[in-house]
């Protein structure tokens, strides 16, 4: 029997007078792939960030493996965040750091690994997404598709159990988009991670997801 990885309990969220989410109740099993689709600006990315613990909902609770995310201690919350990876909508790469250094950054920040261990993981991460040859280049020296691959590799750097992808195929041509989703699925299957993917492309949603959530009019 699959374990419940994440639950939303009566989650609501609003900005000013605009209600984006209202009394959302959802449950996700460990190892599931969930796609979030719906009109632009109607709450998909907000829901993703709430589940990832980056936003606190206006009301309700996010429960991860039976524990309330926002009621646990700061130490436990930080430990949980180290088990999560996030690809932001515009990649959020460090322009001043080379490709390899972008992946090394989270490893240096939150682990006690030696520099040799970190470099081994950097090479492994870049190999997993097929851009090892770009290790010494800067993000603005590689293509949009390669930047997405780098963002995915950095999100995977800590070997997370939960992965959140905010529109990973935005701005990419259809062939590259399909390959990026194939990569996400391949990496997820190796790690048996629980993943959430925001997308505006139904073809990509059907490609990636076990289940598709439609987000709109405050509901899911």
């Amino acid at each position: 029997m699959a374990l419940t990885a994440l639950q939303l309990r009566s989650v609501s969220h609003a900005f000013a007078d605009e209600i984006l989410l209202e009394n959302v109740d959802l449950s996700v099993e460990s190892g599931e792939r969930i796609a979030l689709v719906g009109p632009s600006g109607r709450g998909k990315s907000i829901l993703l960030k709430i589940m990832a613990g980056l936003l606190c909902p206006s009301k309700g609770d996010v429960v991860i493996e039976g524990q309330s995310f926002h009621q646990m201690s700061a130490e436990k919350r930080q430990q949980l965040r180290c088990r999560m990876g996030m690809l932001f909508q515009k990649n959020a790469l460090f322009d001043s750091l080379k490709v390899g250094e972008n992946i090394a950054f989270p490893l240096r920040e939150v682990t006690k690994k030696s520099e040799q261990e970190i470099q081994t993981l950097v090479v492994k991460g870049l190999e997993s997404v097929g851009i090892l040859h770009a290790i010494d280049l800067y993000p603005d020296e590689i293509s949009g598709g390669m930047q997405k691959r780098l963002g995915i590799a950095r999100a995977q750097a800590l070997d997370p159990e939960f992965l959140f992808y905010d529109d990973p195929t935005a701005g990419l041509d259809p062939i590259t988009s399909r390959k990026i989703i194939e990569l996400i699925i391949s990496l997820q299957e190796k790690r048996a991670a629980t993943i959430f993917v925001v997308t505006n492309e139904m073809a990509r949603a059907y490609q990636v997801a076990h289940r598709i959530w439609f987000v709109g009019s405050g509901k899911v």
Side-chain angles (χ1 to χ4, degrees):
M1 183 177 177
L3 297 174
T4 299
L6 184 148
Q7 288 179 292
L8 300 177
R9 295 179 179 172
S10 301
V11 165
S12 299
H13 199 74
F15 286 114
D17 296 327
E18 184 180 15
I19 297 174
L20 292 175
L21 299 169
E22 187 172 20
N23 293 323
V24 174
D25 290 286
L26 293 165
S27 181
V28 180
E29 293 181 350
S30 179
E32 271 199 285
R33 298 196 301 264
I34 305 293
L36 288 75
V37 303
S40 296
R42 304 313 302 165
K44 299 189 300 296
S45 293
I46 293 298
L47 179 58
L48 191 78
K49 290 173 183 176
I50 287 172
M51 291 189 294
L54 298 178
L55 279 179
C56 184
S58 303
K59 294 180 182 178
D61 202 5
V62 179
V63 179
I64 298 178
E65 296 177 342
Q67 298 185 75
S68 170
F69 186 87
H70 296 286
Q71 292 180 17
M72 65 179 64
S73 68
E75 182 181 1
K76 285 189 175 181
R77 200 155 48 234
Q78 182 59 26
Q79 290 172 353
L80 181 55
R81 285 194 172 112
C82 289
R83 296 168 55 203
M84 296 177 170
M86 181 99 183
L87 174 70
F88 292 92
Q89 198 167 66
K90 295 185 179 179
N91 305 322
L93 301 173
F94 297 110
D95 294 337
S96 60
L97 299 182
K98 294 180 179 179
V99 164
E101 293 171 336
N102 264 275
I103 297 179
F105 183 85
L107 294 165
R108 289 172 178 150
E109 285 292 304
V110 301
T111 75
K112 297 180 179 179
K113 296 183 183 298
S114 69
E115 193 59 29
Q116 184 176 359
E117 289 174 312
I118 288 172
Q119 291 307 314
T120 298
L121 289 171
V122 166
V123 169
K124 182 179 177 182
L126 291 175
E127 283 180 336
S128 72
V129 298
I131 58 169
L132 179 58
H133 61 283
I135 189 170
D136 290 321
L137 298 178
Y138 288 95
D140 65 356
E141 296 177 317
I142 61 178
S143 69
M146 290 174 69
Q147 289 177 11
K148 288 292 182 187
R149 288 173 179 267
L150 173 57
I152 291 169
R154 191 178 63 181
Q156 301 262 0
L158 298 176
D159 199 19
E161 297 163 50
F162 297 87
L163 279 153
F164 302 88
Y165 296 100
D166 196 352
D167 212 354
T169 60
L172 302 179
D173 64 82
I175 294 175
T176 304
S177 294
R178 188 178 71 248
K179 289 181 178 178
I180 289 295
I181 295 299
E182 288 172 353
L183 174 63
I184 287 172
I185 293 171
S186 173
L187 293 172
Q188 184 266 343
E189 288 177 341
K190 290 176 183 177
R191 291 174 166 82
T194 305
I195 71 170
F196 303 86
V197 181
V198 168
T199 181
N200 289 312
E201 302 176 67
M202 285 307 302
R204 303 288 74 85
Y206 281 115
Q207 182 187 356
V208 74
H210 295 129
R211 287 193 289 155
I212 296 175
W213 294 352
F214 184 89
V215 183
S217 302
K219 304 296 183 183
V220 181

